[in-house]
Amino acid sequence: LLDKIKDAKIIFVVGGPGSGKGTQCEKVVAKYGYTHLSSGDLLRAEVASGSERGKTLQAIMQKGELVPLDTVLDMIKDAMIAKVDVSKGFLIDGYPREVKQGEEFEKKIGAPCLLLYIDAKGETMVKRLMKRGETSGRSDDNEETIKKRLDLYYKATEPVIAFYSSRGIVRKIDSELPVDEVFGHVAKAIDGLK
Ligand SMILES: Nc1nc2c(ncn2[C@@H]2O[C@H](COP(=O)(O)OP(=O)(O)OP(=O)(O)O)[C@@H](O)[C@H]2O)c(=O)[nH]1
Ligand SMILES: Nc1ccn([C@@H]2O[C@H](COP(=O)(O)OP(=O)(O)O)[C@@H](O)[C@H]2O)c(=O)n1
Ligand SMILES: [Mg+2]
């Protein structure tokens, strides 16, 4: 099974909270048929299941901190295995959050061929998340947790971009533009893959 995953394209989608990763991934699914795996969504599904593990996760996410690395990675791996027969590509959204997450992913699953770096200003991300918070029902879409998620993003996740830049697979996407223009740039990056 892991051999099969190695034949599929793996794309990391990285960007700050509320930068628009999920929005762009949906459009990639519609155009290219890739499988979208949002690490945050997988974690929220576990929380919604009401399991003991979910309760522990909920407390961490509510604080805007990172859950244990193995938890997220196992969830992503299981989800990839479940889809490997029908997938030409995987969008791994919101992962890696720290360099160590990327290193472990590569050890256990495989190497990404592209990292889409969805870039928006801090101010923009906060504004979008406050707006989303009015309807999302996400308990981490509140001012206090948003600030913590943003701080952690700058501290832990931006180094991920530097790490993969040295490999030449990072495409920086300006996410201040209207959604469809942002997608134009995303599509160009994907079309550039052989
Ligand atoms: N104006 C504008 N709004 C956007 C754009 N992309 C996303 N949004 C809005 O910003 C909010 C956050 O977008 P998401 O796609 O959920 O962001 P995300 O990066 O997945 O965020 P997390 O799930 O918190 O990691 C949503 O309410 C979107 O409607 C964009 O390009 N332009
Ligand atoms: N790889 C990941 C992804 C999410 N998470 C946790 O899940 C929360 C929500 O993730 P998300 O990707 O949906 O949202 P943002 O924080 O990017 O807005 C994060 O704040 C973390 O607590 C994690 O610990 N590790
Ligand atoms: Mg998202």
Side-chain angles (χ1 to χ4, degrees):
L1 273 170
L2 280 178
D3 277 354
K4 270 194 195 161
I5 288 181
K6 287 201 179 80
D7 295 334
K9 289 192 170 70
I10 295 175
I11 300 176
F12 285 160
V13 184
V14 176
S19 57
K21 303 180 293 291
T23 302
Q24 292 301 320
C25 284
E26 262 179 49
K27 298 179 82 69
V28 173
V29 170
K31 177 161 180 183
Y32 297 91
Y34 284 12
T35 298
H36 175 208
L37 298 174
S38 157
S39 49
D41 287 350
L42 291 171
L43 292 167
R44 280 185 288 279
E46 182 71 29
V47 171
S49 80
S51 68
E52 278 310 309
R53 181 158 83 156
K55 284 177 193 141
T56 311
L57 296 176
Q58 162 66 17
I60 299 170
M61 292 163 78
Q62 179 65 43
K63 287 189 275 186
E65 294 169 3
L66 294 182
V67 312
L69 189 156
D70 292 332
T71 307
V72 206
L73 189 52
D74 284 349
M75 284 180 179
I76 293 175
K77 190 174 160 195
D78 289 347
M80 288 179 83
I81 289 171
K83 284 287 167 75
V84 71
D85 282 325
V86 294
S87 249
K88 324 171 259 174
F90 291 97
L91 295 164
I92 311 295
D93 165 6
Y95 191 101
R97 284 296 225 271
E98 53 182 355
V99 171
K100 180 96 182 126
Q101 285 191 358
E103 290 172 336
E104 289 301 310
F105 183 101
E106 294 196 43
K107 264 191 231 157
K108 293 200 177 150
I109 301 173
C113 56
L114 175 68
L115 186 154
L116 291 171
Y117 165 28
I118 310 296
D119 182 44
K121 288 184 287 193
E123 193 192 316
T124 305
M125 296 192 269
V126 172
K127 242 188 259 164
R128 288 180 187 174
L129 289 177
M130 291 301 290
K131 178 113 184 39
R132 189 177 73 182
E134 291 168 12
T135 55
S136 70
R138 271 180 60 169
S139 63
D140 59 350
D141 281 348
N142 65 77
E143 202 166 356
E144 197 191 336
T145 311
I146 289 169
K147 192 182 172 300
K148 289 190 190 152
R149 285 152 68 198
L150 205 56
D151 286 347
L152 187 61
Y153 168 70
Y154 290 124
K155 227 180 281 159
T157 311
E158 280 202 339
V160 169
I161 294 155
F163 180 82
Y164 287 102
S165 289
S166 61
R167 236 187 256 177
I169 62 165
V170 173
R171 293 294 170 273
K172 181 175 177 176
I173 308 289
D174 179 1
S175 178
E176 294 284 337
L177 304 166
V179 174
D180 289 331
E181 283 180 47
V182 176
F183 183 64
H185 294 288
V186 167
K188 238 189 277 163
I190 293 177
D191 290 336
L193 294 170
K194 319 155 252 8

